[in-house]
Amino acid sequence: MIVCVAVIGHQNNPLYIQSFTEADDALKLHHIVHCSLDVVEERVNNPKKSGPTLNETFLGLLYPTENYKVYGYLTNTKVKFILVTTDLDVRDADVRNFFRRFHAAYVDAVSNPFHVPGKKITSKTFAERVSNIVKSFGLSSAS
């Protein structure tokens, strides 16, 4: 189950963070997302040590905790997508598909002429699409 998704700008500023749990966990999930940025920076700056090539946008599993797994994705414009899940046996194909759909929703949201680049994403349509993508991720991983 996905518990949190985030879009982080190229200057590590949060553009969108949505948690899908009770309010008590929201602060902890924001902390997990913030900590994952260090791992993303390490992988981007040291590509030989971490595995993925510079052309690879999917960063894979950033790190596991005892309750969560954190995955990362980096766009060509250095915008980072973070996914936090409680499912400890997630397939990479499902996560790649999630990020592909999430990236498409993000592109549509920032292509809006009323969106100011580098500012928080406040689009209700984007939030609904993200929610639908998260719901479908849970269904596809169960089958």
Side-chain angles (χ1 to χ4, degrees):
M1 179 183 156
I2 295 175
V3 292
C4 183
V5 295
V7 178
I8 309 297
H10 67 282
Q11 295 176 333
N12 288 340
N13 54 322
L15 301 177
Y16 180 83
I17 296 180
Q18 178 65 47
S19 42
F20 299 95
T21 62
E22 334 43 84
D24 298 346
D25 288 347
L27 187 61
K28 178 169 63 170
L29 292 171
H30 286 221
H31 180 70
I32 289 172
V33 167
H34 183 72
C35 290
S36 68
L37 296 178
D38 292 337
V39 180
V40 170
E41 292 298 321
E42 181 180 326
R43 291 203 181 170
V44 169
N45 293 332
N46 301 319
K48 294 176 185 170
K49 294 180 183 175
S50 60
T53 63
L54 292 175
N55 296 334
E56 180 69 39
T57 56
F58 177 63
L59 298 173
L61 178 66
L62 298 178
Y63 67 92
T65 66
E66 65 182 51
N67 298 326
Y68 304 109
K69 278 192 167 182
V70 182
Y71 293 89
Y73 181 92
L74 183 69
T75 68
N76 292 339
T77 57
K78 305 294 183 225
V79 173
K80 301 154 201 77
F81 298 150
I82 306 296
L83 167 68
V84 182
T85 179
T86 57
D87 207 357
L88 298 180
D89 56 346
V90 178
R91 296 182 322 172
D92 266 1
D94 291 339
V95 177
R96 285 178 188 267
N97 184 42
F98 169 83
F99 278 128
R100 183 182 53 76
R101 294 176 65 202
F102 190 53
H103 192 180
Y106 168 77
V107 168
D108 289 346
V110 298
S111 296
N112 181 340
F114 298 106
H115 174 73
V116 179
K119 298 293 182 188
K120 290 189 183 248
I121 300 170
T122 57
S123 167
K124 291 179 183 172
T125 306
F126 177 71
E128 290 171 6
R129 274 186 76 181
V130 169
S131 182
N132 290 334
I133 293 168
V134 166
K135 287 175 188 169
S136 69
F137 180 85
L139 295 175
S140 67
S141 65
S143 57

